[in-house]
Structures are given as structure tokens and as C-alpha cells.
Amino acid sequence: MRSKGVIFLFFLLFISKTHAQYHPLVTADSTAQAQWVEATYEAMSPEERIGQLFMVMVATSQGPAVQERVTEWISNYHLGGVIFSLGGPVRQARMTNAFQEASRTPLLVAMDAEWGLAMRLDSTYAFPWNTTLGAIRDSAVIERIGYRIGQHAARLGVHINFAPVADINTNPANPIIGNRSFGEDPARVARQAGYLMQGMHRAGILTSGKHFPGHGDTAVDSHKALPQLPYNRQRLDSIEMSPYEPLIAKGLSSVMVAHLNVPSLTGSQELPTSLSGEVIRGLLRDEMGFEGLVFTDALNMKGVTGYEGVVNTSLAAFLAGNDMLLLPENLEADHAAFLEAYRTGIITEERLGESVRRILMAKYKAGLHNLQPVDVDGLVEELNTPEDDLAYEQAMESALTVLKNQVSIMGMRNLENKKIAYVKIGEAPHEPFLERMRLYADIDEVGGTSLEDLKTRLADYNLVILGVHKSNESPWKKHELSPEDVRRIQEIGNLRTSNSIAVFFSRPYMLGDVPDYDGVDGLVMAYQNSKITQETAAELLFGVFPARGRLPVTAHPEFPAGSGLDLPALGRLGYSLPEREGFDRTRLARVDTLMQHGLDSLMFPGAQVLVARNGQVVFHKAYGKHTYDGDREVQLTDLYDLASLTKILGTLPVLMEMEETGKIRLNATFSELLPEYADTELEDVTVLKALSHYGRLPSWIAFYLDTLDKQRRPSRDFYRNSPQEGFSIQVAESLYLTNAYTDSIYNRIGRQELKSNRYRYSDVAYYVFKKYIEEQYGRRLDAIAGEFLFRPLGASHTLYNPLERFEKADIVPTEEDNYYRYQRVQGFVHDMGAAMQDGVGGHAGLFSNANDVAKIMQMYLQGGYYGGTRFLEARTVEKFNKCYFCNNDVRRGVGFDKPQLEDKGPTCGCVSRRSFGHSGFTGTYTWADPDTGILYVFLSNRTYPSSSNTLLVRSGLRTRIQQAIYDSIIN
């Protein structure tokens, strides 16, 4: 045996010879690596060196017996590594620690984790399949997925991931590859596999390209038989083997050789490639210059065990040039056969040393020279993190592929003209898709007892969205459409009464089950049916982000590989996680604490809170109940009385649009708006000063008091219990005000005396603006605002007089009124003056939920643009979001509230000067900050059961929550 010095010199020469070509296993501290490798190698007996060549499979799901057996193998045969299969992460971590403790030389731990540990383990994260990643054109997105997969592997004590798959999936009938492939284009597969590989390398994980020379164009599973590739070398070079050279050039750690019958490479009609020296030494090592590890595919697979041309399969595989032998059929017999071959010179010391040193180099690179046990504390949580969801979400946003978009049906604009139905096809879950779509528009799920019945029910809709949902259980799951499903897609697509969009949550090849898509206007390939995929697909339809995916395979004659349309984003709110927009979720959880304090302190029975940043809703929750003693919990879709938020969400946008079109001027006076005020003290009050609450107007006028009798009850002179001629203004259930009282309201306003010249918040101006708006348009304010803003915006839960469209149970009550209406106020506006205007006030009357309020505020943040529609010019928003009288201690903008000028005021004091918002009497609040992109909505019914409850106001809870939101920003 050669001396240590000679061997060490050989090793240094070995490294230096290959380092110029970038040896994939050499570390930055190559001298230290060489010393460790030689010291470890020299300390081994021949039996131990031979043992390093073997890697056995372990399934923690098989229980303690497998641990005992493998521990015995480690002791008796000195295994080089283990590959873990089915089981759970905590069991695997403990078993890994036990195995490493039992092994004199650290074990190389491997897994098949092509789309993450979930390929084999429960309670772990499943990332998108490779076909999904094949649709992505952004390299950073794929690299991030690889990095997250690598981080998970490292956390679990796994050193090498048998990925990426480099197979070219040119055969749709392939029973084993399919969704595991990045696609059918060799260049794309090479790129995508390279990006995934680089991500895993960044996480410190070794990689393995498989299944060399290429398993994509086979119709046989090599687990069951030997697949054949009857192609010549030119074809193999251009397709099957094409990805390997670029992967090798980028530092691929290892290659897994498949069991394939490729006569043009092996020179044999029977010899599997995994046993061929021509393939491994001649082609992979010599021609392609690969210096990393070479693994066999599992040696217990029928593709190799059926070959009768060798006495010992493992020995033949090693002599052909493989370094590590996976899953030997008979470890005891194989180890003995190797030892005998070594003693008789069939295996030379040089050949043995070549592979064992390479294995030790890989172990050093994987950190096994400084082995640490796997910590099981917090393991499952760390393998399922928000960062993983974000990586998945980003991948799906990049992968979703629009294949057809006739009449620009996507992204959806002009929602006011659409009546949308959703039809489910397939057996898999669909709820996340439907629920997310309903955040953007009213959508009815429609079914039928038969196709004809379904078509009849769909006649009332002008847009039908077909969701084709197939199992997301695994990439091997067969996806097929039944003949009935094909008929549904085609006949619904051919309906003359509606447009249609079909979204396939399935493997792309299922597109081929439908003969043609002539009748379908929109077609989207979503690739998978996971929750995040469904939610992301819903956002794609509504233009939250741009469409940019490309089909990775030819799935249909109409849609070859590379098909895909780019669509622009339309500026609608998306829904994501706090981390996406730079929030610390732990700090943001203080909002929950503050809200619970509000509930416990009886500040309000229930509430909704929404936080968005940069157009992404990252916090959206409902708290408490409708009433303190009731059972109905607050839902995110429930409607709240917005009170004075009506000013900036209903009236102000109409005024802003009128200012743009010249229908109103900021320097116009009240006498110009309403000539009847020409001879009153109000005549010279300007629009600008009134909207800035600097118009010397009274704060409010209690009009209702004049309509009560001596018992302070609604007077018979003014009210009826049912609608009658001249009494059609409904102020509450079974309570109708005389129509004549409208003139009395405006007459009384005209008799008001102006107050002192200082800041004074006032509702009165908005009565004037409401009347002027309605006179200009010849319609009521609710109709104008609905047509101009709410319906086109998709704010379908924002309206006046909500009982006209919603059930009372879906509307949060505001008060048990014991001073005017003497009943529970629910579904009727709480503000008395607005109620006396038939529920439509310029200052109050709107009902909505936090989601819809956020849409309008986001429109402002985006300079008047939302959902593909420009509602207002950016200069108009800027003009109204300006404090014109700050020098007079008036903080207000034109309609908008603005941050305080001194210590106390409407905000936490942590917002920018450019921020704006408003609060409402019923316990509502919204604020938007252009500088930080933060949007905050708080809706409650603090006035229930009595408006005398001012705990919410006195506590400053709404602005304390705002402070907590800003304190949560980390980026």
C-alpha cells in the first residue's frame, strides 16, 4: 500500500488537474478538504472503504425495526450513506442522529426531494412541480424555489437531493416522468434545471442530475421493466443528453444513471446504461468531462435486476464507473462480492480509492467533517414557513399561462357590465378559487342536474368561468376529462348568451382531451390545484399581476410548447402574506392583541381590520360578534355603516370628477351652487373652505328633533308606519317620513349663522354638495356614485340602503335607538339626517366592508387608477390631498382628513404628511399613506347598543393599531 504522503500528493494532483474545469466537489478550503479526505481514507480498512460505496433506503414509516436493521448494516458493512423514503420529519431527524452516531465515518444522507421534502415526507412543504416551474421565465423565481428546497433539506440533515430532473418530456404517455420534467424543450429544461440546482447549491445542498442519459421519451417505467431509447447518437446529443453539459459546466454535484436500453450508446441490445462502461466512463467521464459523483439509480428496480448478463449487479455497476450504488438488492452478498473482488485484484486500490475519495470529497463539501446533530425542536414549523408560501406564490404568479384571450376577456375590466357564474368541473376542491374571485366581484356558483339544465340556468349570465379541478395529490396522479366534462366545456363555450373562460388546474396534457377551444374566449393553464394556485389564478383573471407564463410542453395541436400570452396588470389589490411587503408577522400580531383588548373592554361588539401595503392586502380579519349578546360572529363580507367615511368614499370622488370636468370649481361659492342661498350668510362660503372644514359652518344640525312629539316620539304630523302618498322616505323599519321635509332641511341650513373663523368639523356642507350633485346630474347621489365608482371598481358590497340587496343578517346593527326611531337600527343608516334623506346623505349613508373600503382607498393611492380604469386624474387626487389652510391651524385637506399639526390628532403621529383618511361616528376609520404604501381600514359598531359608548374614541385604539402596523415594518 502506498504511503500517506504519496496518496496525499496524488489527491492534490487529482484536484489541481480538474480544478481548471471547475471540479464540482472541491471546496474553497481545498487544502483542508484534501487533508481531511486523505486522513479519513487512510484510517479506513478495505472493508470500510468498500462500505462507502453503498447507500441503502430507509422509510421511517416502517417503524423501529428498520432502524435496528440499518444500524446493524452501518456497523457491519460501514455504509457510505442512506436515502430516506416515506415517513415523517421528526422521526427521520431522530433516526438520522442515531445512524450518524452509530457510524464511524459520517453518513451521506440523501432524499428524492424534487419538489421538496413532501415528495417523501408528511408534515413538510410541497413546492410546485417541475412542469409548473417549466412555465416560468424568471430565473430568480426558480432559483428561490431551489434555495427553499435546499434549506429544508439542510434543516433535516439531508446532504444531497436527487434533483434536478433533467429529462426531456417529449412523450405524453410517459408513466413515470410527466410533471417531474421541466418540459419538452432541451434548452429550457437545461435552464430551469440549472436555476433550481443553483438555488440548492446556495443552501449548501449537493445536487444530482437525473436520469442520465434521459428518461423522458419512454413509455415504460424502469421500476417495472427496461425502457428502450432506440435513437442514434445525434438525436440523443440534441435532445436527451442536451441538458447535462450546461449543468456540468455550472457545477452539478452528481449524476444519477438510469436503467435504460440505449443500443447506440452501450453497443448492446440488452445491457442497461447503468452497467455500461461506455456510457459512464467513456461518455460521462471522458467525453463530457464530469468529475462529480456518479450514482446508479436504485439497483432493486426491474430495469436492471432483469439483466442476466452479470453475476453481481452491484459489482458490475461499480466496475462500469459508478461511485455510489443505490439500494443494492442484497447488501450482505454484495459487500462480500466486493471484498472478494478486491482481494483478487478485480477491484484495484486505485479504482476503489478513486470513488471513495470522491465520496469523501462530497461529504466534506456537505459539511460532514463538522457534523452536527439535527435539532428536532421546532422542526415541523421551520419546514413550513411563510417564506415557503411566498416562494410558491411568486412561482405561480410567474407560471400561470394565458393561452387564449379573445375579446380581451382577461384581465377583467368593466365589472359593472358583468354578471358572472362559476361552474366547477372535476372532482378536486375548488373553494379557494371561488372565494378569492368573490373578493373582486359578485360570482354565483351554478350547477345543474344535467347539462341542459345547467345551460338553462346559465342563460341569465354574460360571463361563465369554468374551473377544471384535478387532484393535486402528486405529479403522477392521472388527469383525464370524462366525455361528459368535454361536452360541458365545449357547449358552455358555445353559448351565445355569454362569454366564457376555462381555467385548467391540472397537468397541461389534459388540454388535449378537448378537441377544440373554438367557443371558449379565455383559456388559462394553471398546472396544479393547490390552494395557492387557485387563489393566484383568481387574481390573474382580475389583473392583479401580469400574465407571463409559457407552456412547457405541447399540450394540444392549438397550443404547442412555448405558447402563452402576456397580459398587463390592472392595478387591483392582491392578497398575500405580511412578509411579502416587509412586515414582521410577530409584531403585526399586536393588532390581534389590541383588538382583543377592545372586545374585552366593551369598546365594540365586533369589527373588521384590513392592512395593505403596495397593493397587497396582508392582514384581513374579522373580530367579535354583531352584538354583545348575540350568536352571529362577524364575517369579512358583513356590512358596516361607514358613517362619515361616506364623505371621502361616496361624495368626494364624485366632486373630484366634477372638478375635472368643470362642473364645479373649488373657488365656487354656495350661492353659485344653490342660488337660493344668495341672500343668506352662507352665500360666500367656498367649496374649498367648506371641504376643508374652514367654512364657519355649524358642526351638525339635529333635524330630527323638530319631528318628535311632546313625548319625544316620531310625530304623526311627520311620520307614518307604512309607505303612503307623500310619505315615502323610510328612516327605519315601519317608519316613513313625509316627503315635504326635504325642503325643510335645506331651508333650515339656509337660516344658519356662520360661526367664528376657525377650524370646525362640519357635516352641513355635504348636504349642500349632495343637492348640487343631484341637480347637476338629474339623479340621486347613490345612483351616480354607484355608476361612476362602486360598480366599475368591483366594490359590490358598497352601497346606500343595503337592505335593497342584502339580507339583514349580513348587516351589522349600529344602535338600539331609544331617542328617535325606538328600535334596533340595522340596515338603515344610523345618522339621523342621512336617514331623513331616504338613507342617502352626502355626509353619511354608505355601508360597506373593509375589503371594499380598501379598494376605493387604493384607487386614491394609485392616483385615481384601479382595475384598468382611470377614475380620476393623478393631479386631481394630489390637488384634493393638500392642506390649504395649515398656516391657519386647519389640518384638513379638501375633503380628506390629514395628519395632526401638533401632538394630538387623527393618526398615530407615525404617518407621513402626504397621508390621508377619515374617521366615522359609528367607530370606523381608514387611512392611506403614499410614502409607505400602507392602507389601513378599521370598521366597528362601537355605537351598539348605545352611541353614548365612547370608550373606543377615548382609548385611541384605532390609532394605537395604526402605530402597531407601522411598528411592524422591517423593510
Side-chain angles (χ1 to χ4, degrees):
M1 184 170 291
R2 290 174 287 183
S3 68
K4 293 182 182 180
V6 173
I7 294 176
F8 183 56
L9 178 61
F10 165 81
F11 185 72
L12 289 177
L13 289 172
F14 172 73
I15 290 178
S16 63
K17 175 175 74 80
T18 60
H19 194 57
Q21 302 172 14
Y22 179 52
H23 194 298
L25 302 179
V26 173
T27 60
D29 58 340
S30 57
T31 301
Q33 181 187 33
Q35 291 171 342
W36 183 86
V37 168
E38 282 306 304
T40 305
Y41 186 84
E42 285 298 315
M44 290 179 176
S45 66
E47 290 84 356
E48 289 173 314
R49 293 171 185 170
I50 288 169
Q52 290 299 297
L53 306 174
F54 294 99
M55 180 175 277
V56 301
M57 178 171 282
V58 185
T60 60
S61 59
Q62 295 176 351
V66 70
Q67 181 172 342
E68 293 176 11
R69 183 173 69 252
V70 174
T71 301
E72 183 178 334
W73 286 347
I74 292 169
S75 176
N76 293 343
Y77 304 115
H78 322 290
L79 297 177
V82 295
I83 174 172
F84 279 97
S85 185
L86 303 179
V90 175
R91 286 172 288 168
Q92 179 168 319
R94 289 176 174 150
M95 203 172 283
T96 296
N97 290 340
F99 291 159
Q100 295 288 20
E101 188 174 349
S103 182
R104 196 165 81 90
T105 303
L107 296 162
L108 191 66
V109 177
M111 281 190 73
D112 285 307
E114 295 165 17
W115 58 90
L117 302 178
M119 184 173 176
R120 294 292 185 246
L121 302 180
D122 61 39
S123 308
T124 56
Y125 201 88
F127 291 94
W129 302 329
N130 285 345
T131 293
T132 307
L133 299 182
I136 298 172
R137 293 189 286 169
D138 185 343
S139 61
V141 174
I142 303 171
E143 197 271 351
R144 184 182 184 186
I145 294 290
Y147 180 62
R148 294 304 302 167
I149 291 173
Q151 285 188 310
H152 286 196
R155 177 64 181 85
L156 190 57
V158 174
H159 310 116
I160 182 167
N161 183 6
F162 288 131
V165 174
D167 297 318
I168 315 300
N169 202 58
T170 52
N171 187 345
N174 193 312
I176 193 62
I177 303 301
N179 277 331
R180 298 166 66 195
S181 167
F182 290 103
E184 69 180 51
D185 176 55
R188 174 180 293 194
V189 170
R191 287 195 303 270
Q192 312 302 71
Y195 300 144
L196 194 74
M197 175 188 76
Q198 289 171 332
M200 289 187 281
H201 286 173
R202 182 158 67 93
I205 294 299
L206 303 175
T207 55
S208 187
K210 65 183 184 184
H211 306 83
F212 186 82
H215 208 320
D217 193 3
T218 62
V220 174
D221 179 357
S222 55
H223 291 82
K224 301 176 180 179
L226 182 64
Q228 185 174 33
L229 286 176
Y231 304 119
N232 62 30
R233 178 64 187 270
Q234 182 180 2
R235 148 73 193 240
L236 295 170
D237 282 342
S238 62
I239 296 181
E240 276 76 11
M241 296 191 296
S242 177
Y244 285 93
E245 287 198 12
L247 287 175
I248 290 169
K250 291 180 180 178
L252 182 66
S253 310
S254 72
V255 168
M256 178 183 287
V257 181
H259 310 307
L260 301 170
N261 179 8
V262 191
S264 63
L265 296 182
T266 63
S268 165
Q269 294 296 323
E270 298 177 352
L271 181 67
T273 47
S274 54
L275 305 184
S276 170
E278 292 293 326
V279 170
I280 300 166
R281 289 194 306 271
L283 174 58
L284 187 57
R285 291 291 190 206
D286 295 340
E287 284 191 43
M288 302 177 75
F290 182 61
E291 296 290 352
L293 279 176
V294 177
F295 287 86
T296 66
D297 206 342
L299 292 173
N300 60 0
M301 294 165 63
K302 298 297 184 184
V304 68
T305 59
Y307 180 64
E308 299 178 351
V310 296
V311 175
N312 184 285
T313 302
S314 294
L315 180 58
F318 176 72
L319 294 175
N322 290 286
D323 295 310
M324 292 203 82
L325 312 167
L326 295 188
L327 282 60
E329 270 204 302
N330 188 326
L331 177 62
E332 181 179 3
D334 287 351
H335 193 274
F338 270 69
L339 193 57
E340 178 63 21
Y342 177 76
R343 287 169 179 162
T344 59
I346 295 173
I347 297 177
T348 66
E349 179 64 34
E350 182 179 0
R351 172 69 188 91
L352 182 61
E354 178 187 335
S355 285
V356 174
R357 285 190 177 91
R358 196 177 277 118
I359 292 165
L360 292 175
M361 287 176 70
K363 290 186 176 185
Y364 187 94
K365 185 158 189 172
L368 289 174
H369 60 294
N370 186 28
L371 180 65
Q372 301 296 320
V374 182
D375 185 0
V376 297
D377 291 341
L379 179 61
V380 174
E381 292 77 11
E382 291 177 41
L383 297 178
N384 296 273
T385 69
E387 184 68 21
D388 302 318
D389 283 338
L390 287 177
Y392 197 119
E393 180 179 274
Q394 184 184 34
M396 293 316 307
E397 288 181 8
S398 300
L400 294 173
T401 305
V402 175
L403 295 171
K404 192 174 181 182
N405 192 35
Q406 299 283 19
V407 298
S408 298
I409 198 70
M410 301 175 286
M412 276 187 253
R413 294 176 167 89
N414 309 120
L415 295 179
E416 71 277 16
N417 299 326
K418 291 180 171 60
K419 187 175 183 184
I420 307 174
Y422 163 78
V423 175
K424 179 194 176 185
I425 293 175
E427 70 289 345
H430 71 289
E431 291 79 9
F433 183 51
L434 181 58
E435 290 170 9
R436 183 58 57 90
M437 287 196 295
R438 283 175 170 167
L439 292 174
Y440 297 99
D442 286 333
I443 298 178
D444 297 324
E445 183 173 5
V446 179
T449 56
S450 66
L451 178 55
E452 292 306 312
D453 179 49
L454 176 59
K455 287 161 62 177
T456 300
R457 293 171 185 262
L458 292 175
D460 291 334
Y461 298 87
N462 59 19
L463 176 59
V464 180
I465 298 173
L466 294 153
V468 185
H469 299 269
K470 291 295 180 177
S471 172
N472 201 64
E473 186 178 327
S474 85
W476 295 289
K477 196 80 172 180
K478 197 169 186 180
H479 291 172
E480 288 182 334
L481 286 173
S482 68
E484 177 63 21
D485 287 340
V486 173
R487 279 188 60 214
R488 283 191 173 211
I489 292 170
Q490 291 197 294
E491 293 196 24
I492 291 173
N494 288 327
L495 289 174
R496 294 185 177 182
T497 54
S498 60
N499 296 112
S500 60
I501 300 171
V503 184
F504 278 70
F505 299 94
S506 69
R507 58 187 298 177
Y509 289 122
M510 201 173 76
L511 288 170
D513 291 351
V514 181
D516 66 73
Y517 292 89
D518 294 345
V520 175
D521 299 293
L523 182 62
V524 177
M525 172 45 63
Y527 301 100
Q528 299 187 223
N529 196 52
S530 65
K531 179 177 182 290
I532 291 177
T533 301
Q534 292 187 51
E535 292 170 343
T536 308
E539 295 189 3
L540 173 73
L541 297 188
F542 288 90
V544 174
F545 54 88
R548 49 196 175 223
R550 292 293 183 268
L551 204 61
V553 295
T554 297
H556 190 280
E558 295 179 36
F559 308 113
S563 297
L565 302 174
D566 288 344
L567 299 182
L570 300 180
R572 281 200 178 96
L573 284 170
Y575 299 82
S576 189
L577 302 174
E579 291 79 3
R580 175 165 178 161
E581 297 304 330
F583 287 103
D584 182 320
R585 71 170 49 227
T586 304
R587 296 181 195 174
L588 198 58
R590 172 137 177 85
V591 175
D592 292 324
T593 303
L594 290 168
M595 288 301 294
Q596 190 59 51
H597 171 66
L599 293 170
D600 294 342
S601 302
L602 304 182
M603 295 181 191
F604 45 79
Q608 296 171 354
V609 175
L610 181 147
V611 180
R613 191 181 189 195
N614 301 326
Q616 292 289 333
V617 176
V618 299
F619 189 100
H620 189 199
K621 292 187 179 183
Y623 300 86
K625 299 179 179 180
H626 281 205
T627 63
Y628 290 113
D629 56 358
D631 297 325
R632 171 65 185 261
E633 294 184 348
V634 176
Q635 306 297 313
L636 292 175
T637 52
D638 289 339
L639 303 183
Y640 277 88
D641 183 334
L642 299 183
S644 284
L645 295 194
T646 301
K647 294 182 174 74
I648 68 166
L649 302 178
T651 308
L652 189 63
V654 174
L655 288 173
M656 294 167 79
E657 194 270 341
M658 292 177 72
E659 194 273 341
E660 282 184 358
T661 57
K663 291 186 174 69
I664 195 169
R665 295 175 290 106
L666 292 183
N667 63 356
T669 64
F670 275 16
S671 61
E672 292 178 86
L673 302 185
L674 302 180
E676 57 266 37
Y677 290 162
D679 296 322
T680 70
E681 290 198 20
L682 277 60
E683 64 176 337
D684 293 326
V685 175
T686 65
V687 172
L688 176 63
K689 285 193 171 182
L691 286 172
S692 303
H693 298 277
Y694 194 44
R696 302 174 62 193
L697 299 171
S699 296
W700 76 299
I701 302 172
F703 298 107
Y704 78 97
L705 288 176
D706 290 345
T707 67
L708 303 182
D709 60 21
K710 293 180 180 179
Q711 288 74 42
R712 301 185 66 81
R713 296 272 179 169
S715 170
R716 181 70 180 171
D717 294 339
F718 296 98
Y719 296 95
R720 297 291 185 271
N721 292 332
S722 61
Q724 298 177 17
E725 186 177 352
F727 291 84
S728 64
I729 299 174
Q730 188 173 13
V731 299
E733 191 171 328
S734 302
L735 191 60
Y736 295 82
L737 174 67
T738 175
N739 299 352
Y741 200 78
T742 300
D743 291 338
S744 300
I745 289 175
Y746 284 97
N747 289 337
R748 184 167 177 184
I749 290 173
R751 298 196 302 271
Q752 296 300 304
E753 296 179 355
L754 294 180
K755 306 299 180 182
S756 58
N757 191 25
R758 63 175 178 80
Y759 166 69
R760 180 180 288 102
Y761 180 77
S762 175
D763 287 341
V764 174
Y766 284 85
Y767 288 83
V768 176
F769 296 137
K770 166 186 156 62
K771 185 174 184 183
Y772 177 72
I773 290 168
E774 293 179 342
E775 288 180 351
Q776 288 294 304
Y777 286 96
R779 289 179 294 157
R780 288 195 350 170
L781 176 60
D782 54 347
I784 297 165
E787 181 178 315
F788 165 61
L789 183 62
F790 306 148
R791 289 193 292 278
L793 196 76
S796 57
H797 286 68
T798 303
L799 72 170
Y800 303 81
N801 294 313
L803 288 172
E804 294 177 3
R805 280 186 50 210
F806 291 89
E807 297 294 327
K808 180 184 285 188
D810 298 327
I811 306 168
V812 180
T814 47
E815 190 172 21
E816 297 290 346
D817 184 337
N818 60 5
Y819 53 87
Y820 172 36
R821 287 167 277 195
Y822 295 91
Q823 59 181 266
R824 174 176 290 185
V825 180
Q826 185 174 11
F828 295 93
V829 59
H830 178 267
D831 183 273
M832 292 73 75
M836 297 171 81
Q837 293 184 293
D838 207 17
V840 184
H843 64 294
L846 265 186
F847 287 73
S848 189
N849 56 34
N851 190 54
D852 272 12
V853 171
K855 293 176 184 179
I856 301 174
M857 295 299 286
Q858 188 65 31
M859 180 272 292
Y860 285 137
L861 277 177
Q862 293 173 178
Y865 178 85
Y866 190 89
T869 299
R870 178 153 296 284
F871 294 93
L872 300 166
E873 296 296 328
R875 59 174 178 78
T876 304
V877 178
E878 195 68 28
K879 179 188 291 188
F880 279 70
N881 182 29
K882 183 177 179 181
C883 178
Y884 289 88
F885 303 103
C886 280
N887 292 336
N888 302 100
D889 293 329
V890 179
R891 70 170 187 263
R892 297 269 176 168
V894 185
F896 296 112
D897 202 356
K898 298 286 288 176
Q900 55 265 42
L901 299 176
E902 296 181 353
D903 293 339
K904 293 184 178 180
T907 76
C908 57
C910 53
V911 298
S912 75
R913 289 299 311 159
R914 296 177 63 223
S915 68
F916 57 92
H918 216 283
S919 60
F921 182 81
T922 52
T924 59
Y925 183 87
T926 186
W927 209 267
D929 191 341
D931 285 7
T932 61
I934 291 177
L935 190 165
Y936 163 44
V937 182
F938 178 103
L939 304 182
S940 78
N941 57 334
R942 70 99 191 157
T943 51
Y944 189 90
S946 172
S947 59
S948 63
N949 177 10
T950 59
L951 289 172
L952 175 66
V953 179
R954 289 186 283 122
S955 72
L957 182 72
R958 289 173 288 188
T959 54
R960 287 161 60 198
I961 290 173
Q962 188 178 50
Q963 181 70 61
I965 293 167
Y966 276 73
D967 288 345
S968 302
I969 300 173
I970 56 176
N971 182 18

